[in-house]
Amino acid sequence: MNDLSPLLSIKNLDFRYQNDIILNKINLTVYQNELVLINGISGSGKSTLLKLIEGRLGDVSAQKRIIIKDIPLSEINEENYHQHVVAMSQNPKVQLLSANCYEELALSLDDCSPNLHQTVLTSLQSIDLEHHQTVAVEDLSGGQQQKLILEALLLLGTDLILLDEPFANLDFTSCKILAEKLRLLVENKQITLIICEHKTHFVETFATQKFTLKNGCLDSYQAYPESYLKLNHKFSLGSEVLSIKNLSYQIEQKIILNCISLSVKQHERIAI
């Protein structure tokens, strides 16, 4: 936090879809070099909030309540706006625009830049892809694609990056690597981030502000997991959709599964 003007200010933001209230009097102030974390159950409106901030939803009344560097979103044209705010999608493949890793990063830079080649090489090295310059982007792992896209967005020099569930499709190791990258960005005061995420534990310790979006309202919280567990998510369990009884399995002489029994009902969430 600081005493400067906020980078982003949202005041009493409402948003409806047909007759459903999605966001209800949202207030949020974000300063430069912050990491703001927002959690909430699926369908709570997290992605909608990010789309509004990104300018992808053309609700004029909502845009007037989103202020970027003291200017309402409704008064900023699209070309200039994306100099201030960009977003990383849940699915990295939809954002990959080039044939290989080198070209993907070069696309974020001015073609006339005398240091373009060295900047791209340095960036590839920073994300451990220096030996993948000519590798097709579709041949990268999900974690590598995430790192490549984030680096491309950073090279744009934008003020604010929005991340919609960046850990959703990553394995545990890739989640840790991405979290460390985000931590270093925040600590080195290189970028401002707003992250909507279920796997909050990866970034919670270094987030500067933490919120839960529930029933259209944005509520600040401090601790994990205690406060999140107090949300009292209540689901009515339906009929049984999966039943496993005394399942055993072995390969040659090695026992892999031994008398496994499991019952799963509709709307139930099982962690293994």
Side-chain angles (χ1 to χ4, degrees), residues 21-24 26 41 43-44 212-219:
I21 298 175
I22 308 300
L23 301 174
N24 183 26
I26 298 294
I41 62 174
S44 59
T212 293
L213 186 55
K214 181 185 179 186
N215 297 329
C217 299
L218 201 59
D219 297 320

Side-chain angles (χ1 to χ4, degrees), residues 47-218:
S47 294
T48 298
L49 178 59
L50 291 189
K51 288 176 182 177
L52 285 166
I53 297 173
E54 191 188 354
R56 288 173 59 192
L57 295 179
D59 187 287
V60 177
S61 62
Q63 291 180 350
K64 291 180 179 179
R65 298 185 178 278
I66 300 173
I67 314 296
I68 304 291
K69 289 189 168 181
D70 298 324
I71 304 175
L73 172 55
S74 57
E75 297 179 15
I76 305 175
N77 65 51
E78 184 176 350
E79 181 179 350
N80 292 334
Y81 186 75
H82 286 91
Q83 295 174 4
H84 300 299
V85 182
V86 292
M88 186 166 76
S89 170
Q90 290 184 31
N91 180 7
K93 293 181 180 180
V94 303
Q95 283 188 275
L96 295 169
L97 303 174
S98 304
N100 58 51
C101 296
Y102 184 97
E103 292 178 4
E104 189 69 32
L105 295 186
L107 191 65
S108 296
L109 298 169
D110 186 345
D111 290 340
C112 298
S113 172
N115 300 318
L116 185 147
H117 180 65
Q118 187 56 51
T119 300
V120 171
L121 293 182
T122 301
S123 294
L124 287 170
Q125 186 176 16
S126 73
I127 55 176
D128 299 320
L129 291 177
E130 64 269 31
H131 301 302
H132 294 67
Q133 291 184 47
T134 59
V135 173
V137 291
E138 63 265 22
D139 292 336
L140 299 175
S141 68
Q144 290 172 324
Q145 290 177 342
Q146 290 274 41
K147 290 194 294 184
L148 184 66
I149 292 169
L150 181 58
E151 191 66 22
L153 295 178
L154 290 169
L155 288 176
L156 290 172
T158 190
D159 296 310
L160 173 64
I161 297 181
L162 312 174
L163 295 92
D164 192 0
E165 298 189 23
F167 300 99
N169 299 312
L170 302 183
D171 59 30
F172 182 76
T173 300
S174 296
C175 284
K176 290 177 65 178
I177 292 172
L178 177 59
E180 179 63 11
K181 173 74 172 180
L182 298 176
R183 184 186 69 79
L184 291 174
L185 288 173
V186 172
E187 287 190 358
N188 294 328
K189 300 186 183 302
Q190 291 180 271
I191 194 65
T192 306
L193 303 169
I194 298 179
I195 301 176
C196 287
E197 182 58 63
H198 292 292
K199 301 177 182 178
T200 55
H201 54 284
F202 284 108
V203 294
E204 209 154 23
T205 56
F206 53 90
T208 56
Q209 297 189 70
K210 297 179 282 289
F211 298 93
T212 293
L213 186 55
K214 181 185 179 186
N215 297 329
C217 299
L218 201 59

